[in-house]
Amino acid sequence: MVKEREAVEVDMHEHENEGGHDHVHGPDCNHDHDHEHEPGDEHGHEEVDEKEAAAAKLREAIEVGMEEVGTLRKKLTITVPREILDERLDEQYSELKREAIVPGFRRGHAPLKLIEKRFGEEVGDQLLGQLVSSAFLAATEKVEIKPLGDPSVWVEAPAPGSEGSRRVREKTSQLLKITDAMEHMELPATGSMTFTCEVEIRPEFALPELKGIPVNRPKVEVGDDDIQVQIDRMRARRGQYVPVEDAIRIDDMVIADVTQTIDGETVKEAKNVALAARGQQVDGVALPDMGDALAGKRAGTTVKLTATIGEEHSNLVYRGKTTEFTFAIHDVKRIELPEVDAAFLESMGADSEVELREQVRVALEGQLGSLIQRGMRGQIGQYLLDKTELEVPAGVSDRQTERLVARRMIDMYQRGVPEEEIRKRVDELRSEASADAVTELKLFFIMEKIAEKMEIEVADDEMNGAIGRIAAEQGKRFDRVRDELTKRDGVTALYLQLRDDKILDELLTTAVISDIEGPKKRSSARKESKLAEDASDGESGKSAENATETKPRGKSGESKGSGTPAGRGKKKAKS
């Protein structure tokens, strides 16, 4: 199961898989393998004991002041005594003295003063990072709080926007991400080290009744519209964008000059930018309604959009301000689907369109069971959201948003969505994830607590099996997929998805399941498959408590969420 301090420990001490491993480990893996060990490995336990003793000593020695600064947000003032600083410095220099190569001296025989002079700055920077990290973790244990992610640290830093100024840059007190804050911190030459940070913490709450959850199991069949949507998706993979003269439609490509203003001042201009007509992030600002704003417009027109800049924007000065984007549209392009001709049919391995439609029907029917299962899981997830009283931190970090993006990408990888389609939708996913992050975070806390209660874990072979399936779907080698997931925070996202699916499937074993009729009619004008939605919604008109509220599927047909309904708080209009 996910440990209480996993978010901090994963963020601050990111585990990278060693190149020699042909597998990956879940977040809880302690690397107990049947590998052969080199002589001297018996000292490993002694090293662990020494680290635990050092952590306990640090926890006992530090002083911690704590105050409330918002919903589930704490401000910690942490003081590390000089005694601890000196001990850690002595340890660093002693190790350096044994190993450092200094011109004119044999290894291990250079004077300590020379070592300190030569490597002092490097040692100080390294020790500062170690101490801030370990002191923060020790402080959270001492005051018994469960942190969510890395802290932000108060530092004195040059005022934002003064880069390049010839005058002396004025310093102001700023709250920065820990990685940015480290650039403005240093070890004190004398006395103790004190720093102040703020951190979001995990909430305390009670779980609802987990047995007897009402769930609808709809009877859903593959229809002609579903088959046509899948064939159009296959055509779209081979399509190309061509200029059009008519009005913009959702998912069209727009070529426009973009101007961004804040407080009436132009802060950014760009010419001939290619933008998709759908919700996305532009220069770090979420514009979820961009598709609707562009739809219906033509080349030669101008569209204006206003938005509030999020608290995680890279420029501190801009956070919380209203910004306006102006899009001067030059050209409109639309994807042109290839004809279902002999060449296309041959590329699909079919001799006729009838045979192709039958192949697609068989494939969709094979997926139907898993789609219905996903929908039932979604109903369980929605029940948990509706029945759990839970506060979440007021400010959700961009780290949480990026993890949600990673998780939704994992979901699409597992369903065989081509990588080029996923890449085209990254901005849209990020925009949606930013809006859904609070609900997603709430569900994360709920699932984490259930995992602890039910003692549900994900084994290494389950992780490796899931990565192997993704590799097969994408036509890539296992190690390449593993490395890509590691870079994108995908290993954690995959672990959480597998864990949550196991939890939901376990809860389904004790759920009260009702078999119902699925929707009778689908509009042929719909551009996306209704299969997953039918499986999730169960029955038109049911309340959110009994039906999953699934976000619309995108043009390419992929669902925008995972099996759980985090972020699905908006009911869809039924066709």
Side-chain angles (χ1 to χ4, degrees):
M1 78 186 67
V2 176
K3 300 290 190 292
E4 292 176 349
R5 293 191 297 160
E6 175 198 346
V8 173
E9 291 173 343
V10 169
D11 289 350
M12 288 183 139
H13 310 291
E14 193 72 38
H15 167 65
E16 298 289 346
N17 292 305
E18 296 180 7
H21 281 6
D22 59 354
H23 58 285
V24 298
H25 307 284
D28 295 324
C29 182
N30 58 9
H31 288 262
D32 287 336
H33 296 298
D34 293 328
H35 306 324
E36 294 184 6
H37 298 280
E38 296 294 331
D41 276 1
E42 62 271 11
H43 298 302
H45 292 297
E46 294 178 9
E47 292 178 0
V48 172
D49 291 341
E50 289 176 2
K51 289 181 179 179
E52 290 178 351
K57 183 175 182 179
L58 178 62
R59 186 167 57 248
E60 181 67 27
I62 61 174
E63 296 178 6
V64 186
M66 181 171 67
E67 59 181 296
E68 297 267 0
V69 289
T71 303
L72 295 173
R73 190 175 181 89
K74 301 288 187 181
K75 184 176 185 179
L76 303 178
T77 300
I78 304 168
T79 300
V80 182
R82 187 71 217 179
E83 174 189 354
I84 297 293
L85 298 181
D86 290 339
E87 283 183 6
R88 298 291 177 90
L89 281 170
D90 288 344
E91 291 172 2
Q92 296 271 6
Y93 284 125
S94 295
E95 183 176 350
L96 262 177
K97 189 176 187 304
R98 290 194 301 271
E99 302 296 333
I101 299 176
V102 180
F105 298 91
R106 288 183 292 124
R107 183 193 297 269
H109 287 74
L112 184 57
K113 290 294 184 183
L114 183 57
I115 295 291
E116 292 176 355
K117 181 178 180 180
R118 187 179 181 88
F119 300 102
E121 184 176 352
E122 180 182 343
V123 169
D125 289 344
Q126 182 177 354
L127 182 57
L128 176 65
Q130 293 172 353
L131 273 177
V132 171
S133 174
S134 57
F136 168 73
L137 292 174
T140 61
E141 293 174 352
K142 189 161 189 170
V143 297
E144 298 182 341
I145 61 173
K146 299 174 182 179
L148 173 65
D150 291 343
S152 295
V153 182
W154 283 100
V155 293
E156 294 294 318
S162 62
E163 292 85 352
S165 175
R166 293 183 179 179
R167 58 184 174 81
V168 177
R169 294 169 67 186
E170 177 186 359
K171 288 191 175 183
T172 60
S173 184
Q174 300 175 42
L175 184 63
L176 303 180
K177 295 179 183 178
I178 189 168
T179 49
D180 296 331
M182 297 299 293
E183 298 178 7
H184 307 285
M185 300 174 68
E186 58 183 22
L187 285 177
T190 59
S192 303
M193 180 182 77
T194 299
F195 65 95
T196 300
C197 62
E198 294 185 15
V199 66
E200 295 165 350
I201 63 172
R202 284 168 162 75
E204 297 293 336
F205 60 94
L207 290 171
E209 176 58 51
L210 299 180
K211 293 184 179 180
I213 299 173
V215 174
N216 291 330
R217 179 167 52 202
K219 297 177 182 177
V220 185
E221 296 180 353
V222 175
D224 290 339
D225 289 345
D226 299 313
I227 295 172
Q228 187 59 51
V229 165
Q230 184 64 14
I231 291 175
D232 287 346
R233 179 179 174 184
M234 294 157 66
R235 294 167 65 200
R237 295 177 191 172
R238 291 161 175 77
Q240 54 184 320
Y241 283 95
V242 297
V244 294
E245 300 295 332
D246 55 346
I248 297 171
R249 300 176 188 173
I250 296 296
D251 280 336
D252 279 353
M253 185 68 69
V254 175
I255 309 300
D257 293 345
V258 182
T259 304
Q260 181 186 7
T261 60
I262 299 176
D263 296 333
E265 178 184 351
T266 299
V267 296
K268 224 164 220 185
E269 290 183 298
K271 301 291 186 181
N272 296 317
V273 179
L275 298 160
R278 56 175 174 255
Q280 58 193 278
Q281 282 199 347
V282 177
D283 288 324
V285 180
L287 300 177
D289 300 325
M290 185 168 166
D292 293 334
L294 291 173
K297 304 299 187 298
R298 294 176 180 271
T301 61
T302 298
V303 173
K304 293 180 181 292
L305 274 174
T306 59
T308 300
I309 299 176
E311 293 300 319
E312 299 298 337
H313 194 276
S314 58
N315 192 320
L316 289 169
V317 174
Y318 295 165
R319 294 178 184 178
K321 290 191 174 184
T322 298
T323 184
E324 182 179 73
F325 286 92
T326 301
F327 302 94
I329 304 169
H330 296 313
D331 296 294
V332 179
K333 296 182 178 182
R334 184 168 302 143
I335 193 165
E336 185 177 76
L337 303 183
E339 295 295 328
V340 182
D341 54 18
F344 178 82
L345 291 170
E346 183 179 0
S347 70
M348 294 292 101
D351 294 329
S352 66
E353 185 172 354
V354 172
E355 183 180 346
L356 175 62
R357 294 183 71 86
E358 182 59 26
Q359 289 176 359
V360 171
R361 180 188 295 278
V362 171
L364 289 177
E365 287 177 345
Q367 298 169 10
L368 199 55
S370 62
L371 288 171
I372 292 174
Q373 182 76 1
R374 283 166 56 85
M376 294 169 66
R377 288 172 181 167
Q379 294 177 58
I380 296 283
Q382 191 64 51
Y383 167 90
L384 296 172
L385 285 168
D386 292 342
K387 298 295 185 180
T388 305
E389 295 185 5
L390 167 63
E391 281 190 308
V392 296
V396 181
S397 67
D398 58 351
R399 178 71 167 170
Q400 299 302 322
T401 298
E402 289 303 314
R403 282 183 171 174
L404 178 51
V405 171
R407 189 162 179 177
R408 290 183 176 177
M409 290 177 69
I410 288 292
D411 181 65
M412 288 190 286
Y413 277 128
Q414 288 183 310
R415 287 182 290 108
V417 178
E419 186 167 7
E420 59 270 19
E421 291 188 38
I422 296 175
R423 286 178 177 173
K424 285 193 293 187
R425 294 204 53 221
V426 167
D427 280 341
E428 185 180 2
L429 287 172
R430 189 168 286 112
S431 178
E432 294 165 357
S434 179
D436 296 341
V438 172
T439 304
E440 182 76 13
L441 194 57
K442 179 178 178 180
L443 189 62
F444 167 79
F445 291 135
I446 296 170
M447 300 302 281
E448 183 181 53
K449 192 162 188 173
I450 296 176
E452 294 173 356
K453 180 178 181 178
M454 299 176 68
E455 298 184 348
I456 289 180
E457 301 177 350
V458 179
D460 285 350
D461 60 347
E462 293 175 290
M463 290 283 292
N464 293 319
I467 293 174
R469 288 189 291 274
I470 292 174
E473 289 282 2
Q474 298 294 323
K476 298 178 181 178
R477 297 199 321 270
F478 176 95
D479 56 348
R480 182 180 173 186
V481 172
R482 175 202 61 198
D483 293 343
E484 289 175 353
L485 290 176
T486 300
K487 292 175 184 176
R488 298 175 182 174
D489 204 19
V491 172
T492 299
L494 179 59
Y495 176 91
L496 292 175
Q497 185 174 53
L498 294 175
R499 183 203 67 180
D500 290 357
D501 286 348
K502 292 178 73 171
I503 291 171
L504 296 169
D505 288 345
E506 181 66 25
L507 294 179
L508 278 171
T509 63
T510 59
V512 178
I513 299 175
S514 301
D515 290 313
I516 63 172
E517 291 295 328
K520 297 293 185 183
K521 182 180 180 181
R522 302 185 181 98
S523 169
S524 60
R526 291 294 295 272
K527 296 297 183 182
E528 67 277 1
S529 171
K530 292 272 290 174
L531 285 175
E533 180 186 340
D534 293 344
S536 299
D537 285 349
E539 184 178 72
S540 178
K542 292 291 181 181
S543 68
E545 180 176 317
N546 295 320
T548 304
E549 298 173 359
T550 310
K551 283 189 175 290
R553 297 167 67 88
K555 181 174 181 179
S556 59
E558 68 269 16
S559 168
K560 295 182 181 180
S562 62
T564 53
R568 303 177 185 179
K570 299 179 181 178
K571 283 295 282 185
K572 287 188 61 179
K574 302 295 178 185
S575 57

mmCIF file of all heavy atoms in Angstrom, residues 224-235 357 360 524 526-530 553-557:
data_model
loop_
_atom_site.group_PDB
_atom_site.id
_atom_site.type_symbol
_atom_site.label_atom_id
_atom_site.label_comp_id
_atom_site.label_asym_id
_atom_site.label_seq_id
_atom_site.Cartn_x
_atom_site.Cartn_y
_atom_site.Cartn_z
ATOM 1 N N ASP A 224 -24.306 0.029 -34.874
ATOM 2 C CA ASP A 224 -23.667 0.477 -36.114
ATOM 3 C C ASP A 224 -22.919 1.792 -35.925
ATOM 4 O O ASP A 224 -21.863 2.007 -36.537
ATOM 5 C CB ASP A 224 -24.721 0.641 -37.215
ATOM 6 C CG ASP A 224 -25.279 -0.701 -37.691
ATOM 7 O OD1 ASP A 224 -24.599 -1.721 -37.471
ATOM 8 O OD2 ASP A 224 -26.376 -0.714 -38.277
ATOM 9 N N ASP A 225 -23.487 2.688 -35.083
ATOM 10 C CA ASP A 225 -22.807 3.963 -34.826
ATOM 11 C C ASP A 225 -21.458 3.739 -34.164
ATOM 12 O O ASP A 225 -20.471 4.415 -34.480
ATOM 13 C CB ASP A 225 -23.668 4.857 -33.930
ATOM 14 C CG ASP A 225 -24.898 5.385 -34.659
ATOM 15 O OD1 ASP A 225 -24.912 5.297 -35.900
ATOM 16 O OD2 ASP A 225 -25.817 5.881 -33.994
ATOM 17 N N ASP A 226 -21.410 2.772 -33.230
ATOM 18 C CA ASP A 226 -20.140 2.477 -32.554
ATOM 19 C C ASP A 226 -19.103 1.982 -33.556
ATOM 20 O O ASP A 226 -17.926 2.353 -33.486
ATOM 21 C CB ASP A 226 -20.353 1.425 -31.455
ATOM 22 C CG ASP A 226 -21.325 1.891 -30.390
ATOM 23 O OD1 ASP A 226 -21.176 3.031 -29.922
ATOM 24 O OD2 ASP A 226 -22.230 1.120 -30.027
ATOM 25 N N ILE A 227 -19.545 1.141 -34.455
ATOM 26 C CA ILE A 227 -18.634 0.603 -35.468
ATOM 27 C C ILE A 227 -18.122 1.723 -36.361
ATOM 28 O O ILE A 227 -16.924 1.801 -36.667
ATOM 29 C CB ILE A 227 -19.350 -0.475 -36.305
ATOM 30 C CG1 ILE A 227 -19.696 -1.681 -35.411
ATOM 31 C CG2 ILE A 227 -18.474 -0.916 -37.481
ATOM 32 C CD1 ILE A 227 -20.579 -2.711 -36.093
ATOM 33 N N GLN A 228 -19.035 2.629 -36.785
ATOM 34 C CA GLN A 228 -18.626 3.710 -37.662
ATOM 35 C C GLN A 228 -17.639 4.641 -36.967
ATOM 36 O O GLN A 228 -16.671 5.107 -37.584
ATOM 37 C CB GLN A 228 -19.845 4.504 -38.131
ATOM 38 C CG GLN A 228 -19.522 5.547 -39.198
ATOM 39 C CD GLN A 228 -18.903 4.915 -40.441
ATOM 40 O OE1 GLN A 228 -19.457 3.957 -40.992
ATOM 41 N NE2 GLN A 228 -17.755 5.431 -40.870
ATOM 42 N N VAL A 229 -17.880 4.944 -35.693
ATOM 43 C CA VAL A 229 -16.969 5.813 -34.950
ATOM 44 C C VAL A 229 -15.578 5.193 -34.895
ATOM 45 O O VAL A 229 -14.559 5.873 -35.065
ATOM 46 C CB VAL A 229 -17.507 6.068 -33.517
ATOM 47 C CG1 VAL A 229 -16.412 6.657 -32.633
ATOM 48 C CG2 VAL A 229 -18.698 7.012 -33.565
ATOM 49 N N GLN A 230 -15.503 3.876 -34.663
ATOM 50 C CA GLN A 230 -14.206 3.216 -34.592
ATOM 51 C C GLN A 230 -13.504 3.244 -35.946
ATOM 52 O O GLN A 230 -12.294 3.461 -36.038
ATOM 53 C CB GLN A 230 -14.381 1.771 -34.112
ATOM 54 C CG GLN A 230 -13.086 1.007 -33.917
ATOM 55 C CD GLN A 230 -12.218 1.595 -32.817
ATOM 56 O OE1 GLN A 230 -12.671 2.418 -32.024
ATOM 57 N NE2 GLN A 230 -10.955 1.191 -32.782
ATOM 58 N N ILE A 231 -14.253 3.038 -37.026
ATOM 59 C CA ILE A 231 -13.657 3.094 -38.362
ATOM 60 C C ILE A 231 -13.165 4.508 -38.663
ATOM 61 O O ILE A 231 -12.077 4.703 -39.223
ATOM 62 C CB ILE A 231 -14.677 2.628 -39.430
ATOM 63 C CG1 ILE A 231 -14.933 1.124 -39.272
ATOM 64 C CG2 ILE A 231 -14.159 2.940 -40.842
ATOM 65 C CD1 ILE A 231 -16.008 0.586 -40.194
ATOM 66 N N ASP A 232 -13.954 5.517 -38.272
ATOM 67 C CA ASP A 232 -13.518 6.909 -38.478
ATOM 68 C C ASP A 232 -12.260 7.200 -37.679
ATOM 69 O O ASP A 232 -11.391 7.973 -38.116
ATOM 70 C CB ASP A 232 -14.634 7.871 -38.067
ATOM 71 C CG ASP A 232 -15.780 7.890 -39.066
ATOM 72 O OD1 ASP A 232 -15.589 7.374 -40.190
ATOM 73 O OD2 ASP A 232 -16.860 8.402 -38.716
ATOM 74 N N ARG A 233 -12.161 6.607 -36.518
ATOM 75 C CA ARG A 233 -10.945 6.800 -35.721
ATOM 76 C C ARG A 233 -9.737 6.185 -36.431
ATOM 77 O O ARG A 233 -8.656 6.776 -36.453
ATOM 78 C CB ARG A 233 -11.144 6.152 -34.345
ATOM 79 C CG ARG A 233 -9.955 6.269 -33.432
ATOM 80 C CD ARG A 233 -10.263 5.618 -32.108
ATOM 81 N NE ARG A 233 -9.084 5.593 -31.253
ATOM 82 C CZ ARG A 233 -9.059 5.012 -30.066
ATOM 83 N NH1 ARG A 233 -10.134 4.415 -29.583
ATOM 84 N NH2 ARG A 233 -7.957 5.020 -29.351
ATOM 85 N N MET A 234 -9.933 5.024 -37.018
ATOM 86 C CA MET A 234 -8.849 4.384 -37.766
ATOM 87 C C MET A 234 -8.467 5.237 -38.973
ATOM 88 O O MET A 234 -7.285 5.366 -39.306
ATOM 89 C CB MET A 234 -9.312 2.983 -38.205
ATOM 90 C CG MET A 234 -9.546 2.026 -37.038
ATOM 91 S SD MET A 234 -10.670 0.658 -37.412
ATOM 92 C CE MET A 234 -9.742 -0.248 -38.617
ATOM 93 N N ARG A 235 -9.460 5.835 -39.619
ATOM 94 C CA ARG A 235 -9.179 6.723 -40.761
ATOM 95 C C ARG A 235 -8.428 7.971 -40.287
ATOM 96 O O ARG A 235 -7.532 8.476 -40.983
ATOM 97 C CB ARG A 235 -10.490 7.114 -41.438
ATOM 98 C CG ARG A 235 -11.210 5.952 -42.092
ATOM 99 C CD ARG A 235 -12.638 6.343 -42.455
ATOM 100 N NE ARG A 235 -12.674 7.391 -43.473
ATOM 101 C CZ ARG A 235 -13.730 8.166 -43.688
ATOM 102 N NH1 ARG A 235 -14.829 8.035 -42.945
ATOM 103 N NH2 ARG A 235 -13.693 9.093 -44.641
ATOM 104 N N ARG A 357 -16.113 -3.940 -41.229
ATOM 105 C CA ARG A 357 -17.106 -3.640 -40.196
ATOM 106 C C ARG A 357 -17.317 -4.838 -39.270
ATOM 107 O O ARG A 357 -17.500 -4.676 -38.064
ATOM 108 C CB ARG A 357 -18.430 -3.215 -40.831
ATOM 109 C CG ARG A 357 -18.349 -1.890 -41.590
ATOM 110 C CD ARG A 357 -19.709 -1.482 -42.138
ATOM 111 N NE ARG A 357 -20.601 -1.070 -41.057
ATOM 112 C CZ ARG A 357 -20.660 0.147 -40.540
ATOM 113 N NH1 ARG A 357 -19.861 1.107 -41.018
ATOM 114 N NH2 ARG A 357 -21.501 0.437 -39.582
ATOM 115 N N VAL A 360 -14.375 -5.016 -36.891
ATOM 116 C CA VAL A 360 -14.499 -3.993 -35.857
ATOM 117 C C VAL A 360 -15.567 -4.387 -34.839
ATOM 118 O O VAL A 360 -15.393 -4.211 -33.623
ATOM 119 C CB VAL A 360 -14.838 -2.620 -36.487
ATOM 120 C CG1 VAL A 360 -15.181 -1.595 -35.402
ATOM 121 C CG2 VAL A 360 -13.661 -2.124 -37.316
ATOM 122 N N SER A 524 -27.051 9.471 -34.401
ATOM 123 C CA SER A 524 -26.016 9.168 -35.398
ATOM 124 C C SER A 524 -25.084 10.337 -35.613
ATOM 125 O O SER A 524 -24.029 10.199 -36.223
ATOM 126 C CB SER A 524 -26.671 8.792 -36.726
ATOM 127 O OG SER A 524 -27.465 9.883 -37.196
ATOM 128 N N ARG A 526 -23.594 11.904 -33.230
ATOM 129 C CA ARG A 526 -22.559 11.943 -32.200
ATOM 130 C C ARG A 526 -21.222 11.554 -32.800
ATOM 131 O O ARG A 526 -21.124 10.600 -33.567
ATOM 132 C CB ARG A 526 -22.896 10.976 -31.054
ATOM 133 C CG ARG A 526 -24.082 11.415 -30.226
ATOM 134 C CD ARG A 526 -23.802 12.696 -29.452
ATOM 135 N NE ARG A 526 -22.768 12.460 -28.475
ATOM 136 C CZ ARG A 526 -23.027 12.017 -27.242
ATOM 137 N NH1 ARG A 526 -24.252 11.768 -26.863
ATOM 138 N NH2 ARG A 526 -22.046 11.832 -26.394
ATOM 139 N N LYS A 527 -20.147 12.290 -32.414
ATOM 140 C CA LYS A 527 -18.827 12.058 -32.989
ATOM 141 C C LYS A 527 -17.987 11.090 -32.161
ATOM 142 O O LYS A 527 -16.875 10.773 -32.521
ATOM 143 C CB LYS A 527 -18.084 13.395 -33.091
ATOM 144 C CG LYS A 527 -18.741 14.383 -34.036
ATOM 145 C CD LYS A 527 -18.769 13.878 -35.449
ATOM 146 C CE LYS A 527 -19.353 14.887 -36.394
ATOM 147 N NZ LYS A 527 -19.441 14.403 -37.756
ATOM 148 N N GLU A 528 -18.518 10.665 -31.004
ATOM 149 C CA GLU A 528 -17.712 9.787 -30.170
ATOM 150 C C GLU A 528 -18.481 8.526 -29.809
ATOM 151 O O GLU A 528 -19.697 8.524 -29.797
ATOM 152 C CB GLU A 528 -17.272 10.498 -28.885
ATOM 153 C CG GLU A 528 -18.385 10.846 -27.910
ATOM 154 C CD GLU A 528 -19.079 12.147 -28.272
ATOM 155 O OE1 GLU A 528 -18.697 12.754 -29.300
ATOM 156 O OE2 GLU A 528 -20.003 12.523 -27.568
ATOM 157 N N SER A 529 -17.773 7.465 -29.522
ATOM 158 C CA SER A 529 -18.410 6.215 -29.151
ATOM 159 C C SER A 529 -19.130 6.363 -27.834
ATOM 160 O O SER A 529 -18.657 7.031 -26.930
ATOM 161 C CB SER A 529 -17.357 5.112 -29.031
ATOM 162 O OG SER A 529 -17.938 3.959 -28.479
ATOM 163 N N LYS A 530 -20.307 5.709 -27.706
ATOM 164 C CA LYS A 530 -21.087 5.784 -26.484
ATOM 165 C C LYS A 530 -20.886 4.556 -25.610
ATOM 166 O O LYS A 530 -21.516 4.436 -24.565
ATOM 167 C CB LYS A 530 -22.571 5.912 -26.831
ATOM 168 C CG LYS A 530 -22.957 7.220 -27.475
ATOM 169 C CD LYS A 530 -23.298 8.265 -26.448
ATOM 170 C CE LYS A 530 -24.597 7.914 -25.777
ATOM 171 N NZ LYS A 530 -24.910 8.813 -24.675
ATOM 172 N N ARG A 553 -16.327 11.773 -24.365
ATOM 173 C CA ARG A 553 -15.153 11.195 -25.008
ATOM 174 C C ARG A 553 -14.662 12.138 -26.072
ATOM 175 O O ARG A 553 -15.422 12.857 -26.692
ATOM 176 C CB ARG A 553 -15.502 9.833 -25.615
ATOM 177 C CG ARG A 553 -15.925 8.826 -24.573
ATOM 178 C CD ARG A 553 -16.556 7.623 -25.223
ATOM 179 N NE ARG A 553 -15.581 6.881 -25.995
ATOM 180 C CZ ARG A 553 -14.829 5.926 -25.489
ATOM 181 N NH1 ARG A 553 -14.888 5.631 -24.230
ATOM 182 N NH2 ARG A 553 -13.984 5.269 -26.256
ATOM 183 N N GLY A 554 -13.343 12.145 -26.292
ATOM 184 C CA GLY A 554 -12.763 13.045 -27.280
ATOM 185 C C GLY A 554 -13.013 12.553 -28.691
ATOM 186 O O GLY A 554 -13.604 11.510 -28.924
ATOM 187 N N LYS A 555 -12.511 13.352 -29.627
ATOM 188 C CA LYS A 555 -12.742 13.025 -31.038
ATOM 189 C C LYS A 555 -12.180 11.665 -31.409
ATOM 190 O O LYS A 555 -12.747 10.923 -32.191
ATOM 191 C CB LYS A 555 -12.117 14.107 -31.918
ATOM 192 C CG LYS A 555 -12.319 13.856 -33.414
ATOM 193 C CD LYS A 555 -11.810 15.031 -34.203
ATOM 194 C CE LYS A 555 -12.030 14.822 -35.682
ATOM 195 N NZ LYS A 555 -11.567 15.943 -36.485
ATOM 196 N N SER A 556 -11.058 11.334 -30.811
ATOM 197 C CA SER A 556 -10.429 10.069 -31.164
ATOM 198 C C SER A 556 -11.069 8.898 -30.455
ATOM 199 O O SER A 556 -10.706 7.765 -30.674
ATOM 200 C CB SER A 556 -8.942 10.119 -30.820
ATOM 201 O OG SER A 556 -8.777 10.368 -29.450
ATOM 202 N N GLY A 557 -12.028 9.189 -29.551
ATOM 203 C CA GLY A 557 -12.761 8.105 -28.931
ATOM 204 C C GLY A 557 -12.274 7.728 -27.570
ATOM 205 O O GLY A 557 -12.864 6.920 -26.895
#
